[in-house]
Amino acid sequence: MAVDDEISLPVARRFLALRHLLAPPRALPAAPESVMAVVDRLGSLQFDPLEVAGRNHDLVLQARVAGYRRELTDELLYGRRQLFEAYNKALNLLPTRELPYYRIAWQNSVEGRAGRVVREQSALTEKVLAAITAEGPKCSGDFEREAAIDWWWGPTSAVRAVLDALNVCGRLNLARRDGNRRYYDLTERLFPPDLLETRIPEREQMRHKVLSRYRGHGLLGAGGSSELWPGTGKAEDRAAMRRDLLDRGELVAVAVEGMRGERYIVGDELPLLAQAEREVASESVGAATRPGDAAPGCSFIAPLDPLLWDRAALEPLYGFEYRWEVYMPAPKRRWGYYVLPILFGDRLVGRVEPRIDRASSAVRLLGLDWEPGFDPLAEPGLVPALADGLRAYMHFGAAGYLVPPPAAADSALFRSLAREVPIRREVAPFRASGAAGRRARP
């Protein structure tokens, strides 16, 4: 199935903002049900343990859920168990009801490196399983430290590798996290028996994984970075499954102005495409810009937010360049260590580098940069929208005030923001610790 007419870039941008629940931002109430609404729309939330600005999945939710706090997701993961962690593209939070579609990841791990570690460390494996069976959830610190062995990221203690291997093989699953310390329990204790007994054909599982990438981004093409497609087979396998999804109406092919090749929309989201077309058409005859029938809002987009999955598409869609520079040496960074793009309405207009300083209950902005030609003070509605976004982020970080960046060019903007946001300028420069460092300016 295909949409006959080419989609304009303004319509594509508006569609993405609407379907990502970002137009307007933070429109969902602070409740676990809102977290599930986001997961249901996007299919998965990528987990990353770095927390200098907030963990990635929390930042994704903070942009969409008013008054979001991490306990909402923790309750779904470790209390209600409506979410679980598994590998899909990377380590993701997934809806538990879809667990049977991800058993293939367990199977592949049993046949791969994780299964080999379990077999090679059979005595330790039996010891770990016996202790957890008898005593309940355990973390690596509950066992005597073993000699280091090679694992995913390099040498690590054998017990930690075995726990991780049993997890990715499906024998153990995550009972809870205390910070970044993981406690594991037997999988059969954590999920309903009927769910664990459900078996779905392997091809259908793979097709579901391919669909999950399109559910995440909303407008992917057939290719893109290899980081988009782990666990979905070879390119020819994906092409065959994509044809199946098109034939079933679960995907719809579209052409987008200025973009090479077909892009694909989830079939159920065609009404959102129609809404985007209506809104953009009304603006072309002089109506005010109102994405989602609301004044444009500001949101800070997580580095691994599904909206940013297709990095190569950001330039043709938004005229915006973004690279997550967290793993780059400081002298080579253009923008900073942990930088979040700023979405205003349906446009990416700048970048912010925030730090949550829990010791002083502050949010510190190490940098704030706008796209060439974008004047935040001259842009209608930007100052109140940015103030609202900053207040929401401060609430997320349990911060009482904001420390602006030292750049003199921002002074007029922050004088305007100070009417709505508690701001303190500090004389002594803030020294970010460890790898965070201070950024190298362009």
Side-chain angles (χ1 to χ4, degrees):
M1 183 178 178
V3 173
D4 292 335
D5 296 331
E6 181 181 75
I7 298 173
S8 70
L9 287 174
V11 168
R13 289 191 292 266
R14 182 62 53 85
F15 165 74
L16 284 171
L18 292 169
R19 67 89 49 193
H20 275 274
L21 302 170
L22 291 167
R26 300 176 298 280
L28 297 171
E33 291 74 20
S34 295
V35 174
M36 289 306 302
V38 176
V39 175
D40 289 343
R41 173 63 59 85
L42 304 180
S44 62
L45 301 177
Q46 192 163 335
F47 179 88
D48 187 88
L50 289 176
E51 202 171 352
V52 293
R55 297 175 301 178
N56 180 75
H57 70 276
D58 290 320
L59 289 169
V60 171
L61 292 162
Q62 186 272 330
R64 295 159 171 88
V65 178
Y68 173 78
R69 51 189 199 282
R70 61 192 297 166
E71 291 80 11
L72 298 177
T73 304
D74 289 349
E75 166 64 18
L76 293 167
L77 280 165
Y78 315 128
R80 303 183 191 185
R81 299 210 175 273
Q82 291 177 248
L83 295 175
F84 78 112
E85 288 189 19
Y87 282 87
N88 180 43
K89 179 180 178 292
L91 184 59
N92 277 259
L93 311 186
L94 300 161
T96 302
R97 66 176 181 276
E98 293 186 6
L99 185 151
Y101 287 95
Y102 294 99
R103 294 187 68 95
I104 191 169
W106 294 352
Q107 175 186 319
N108 290 343
S109 295
V110 169
E111 297 168 355
R113 186 177 183 183
R116 187 166 63 251
V117 165
V118 168
R119 292 188 293 273
E120 291 173 352
Q121 301 288 329
S122 57
L124 180 56
T125 295
E126 290 177 11
K127 175 183 175 180
V128 165
L129 288 173
I132 291 175
T133 300
E135 302 170 21
K138 298 283 186 185
C139 69
S140 60
D142 291 327
F143 299 92
E144 293 181 10
R145 189 170 181 85
E146 304 277 343
I149 64 173
D150 287 335
W151 192 223
W152 306 119
W153 53 86
T156 192
S157 70
V159 70
R160 185 179 179 189
V162 165
L163 284 167
D164 196 24
L166 288 168
N167 176 212
V168 298
C169 289
R171 301 275 300 277
L172 300 178
N173 232 279
L174 202 64
R176 68 181 188 277
R177 285 180 184 265
D178 287 346
N180 282 324
R181 177 164 287 186
R182 294 169 291 177
Y183 285 79
Y184 298 98
D185 203 352
L186 301 176
T187 296
E188 57 265 30
R189 287 176 175 163
L190 300 176
F191 304 112
D194 58 341
L195 198 65
L196 294 175
E197 292 165 5
T198 300
R199 295 294 185 271
I200 291 173
E202 183 173 315
R203 182 176 177 83
E204 193 170 340
Q205 290 186 62
M206 293 294 287
R207 186 166 54 225
H208 184 85
K209 287 168 74 70
V210 170
L211 178 60
S212 75
R213 305 305 199 271
Y214 292 100
R215 288 172 65 192
H217 183 267
L219 200 58
L220 283 182
S225 167
S226 61
E227 295 177 359
L228 287 166
W229 305 111
T232 60
K234 298 178 180 178
E236 56 266 30
D237 298 326
R238 290 196 297 274
M241 288 181 280
R242 189 167 53 250
R243 287 193 295 271
D244 287 350
L245 292 166
L246 288 164
D247 290 343
R248 292 153 62 119
E250 294 182 65
L251 287 182
V252 176
V254 298
V256 179
E257 174 191 359
M259 302 189 74
R260 296 176 59 184
E262 289 183 325
R263 315 295 286 189
Y264 302 95
I265 289 175
V266 175
D268 291 344
E269 296 182 359
L270 287 176
L272 291 174
L273 178 61
Q275 179 182 346
E277 290 172 333
R278 289 194 301 271
E279 289 186 2
V280 171
S282 70
E283 290 163 16
S284 69
V285 294
T289 302
R290 296 184 64 82
D293 196 29
C298 258
S299 48
F300 308 141
I301 308 301
L304 302 173
D305 192 297
L307 181 66
L308 305 180
W309 277 3
D310 192 354
R311 300 276 200 253
L314 296 176
E315 176 61 34
L317 274 170
Y318 298 98
F320 190 85
E321 178 188 350
Y322 181 68
R323 182 176 181 181
W324 195 29
E325 298 177 324
V326 70
Y327 296 114
M328 293 178 64
K332 294 185 177 181
R333 293 179 198 138
R334 184 179 181 191
W335 302 111
Y337 175 69
Y338 204 102
V339 172
L340 312 181
I342 300 171
L343 185 75
F344 177 54
D346 56 14
R347 295 178 292 158
L348 291 171
V349 298
R351 299 163 181 80
V352 62
E353 187 178 8
R355 291 290 184 278
I356 297 174
D357 184 354
R358 301 192 189 282
S360 59
S361 299
V363 164
R364 301 174 182 273
L365 302 187
L366 303 191
L368 179 64
D369 299 280
W370 303 101
E371 286 291 271
F374 184 87
D375 182 347
L377 290 172
E379 183 70 26
L382 185 280
V383 171
L386 180 60
D388 186 61
L390 289 168
R391 286 194 302 268
Y393 185 80
M394 291 168 61
H395 173 84
F396 166 67
Y401 65 97
L402 179 79
V403 179
D410 296 322
S411 297
L413 173 61
F414 281 94
R415 283 197 298 272
S416 296
L417 289 170
R419 303 184 187 109
E420 303 182 61
V421 179
I423 291 175
R424 296 184 194 174
R425 288 196 176 272
E426 297 183 352
V427 176
F430 173 66
R431 295 180 62 85
S433 61
R438 290 303 299 272
R439 64 187 189 162
R441 298 300 302 135

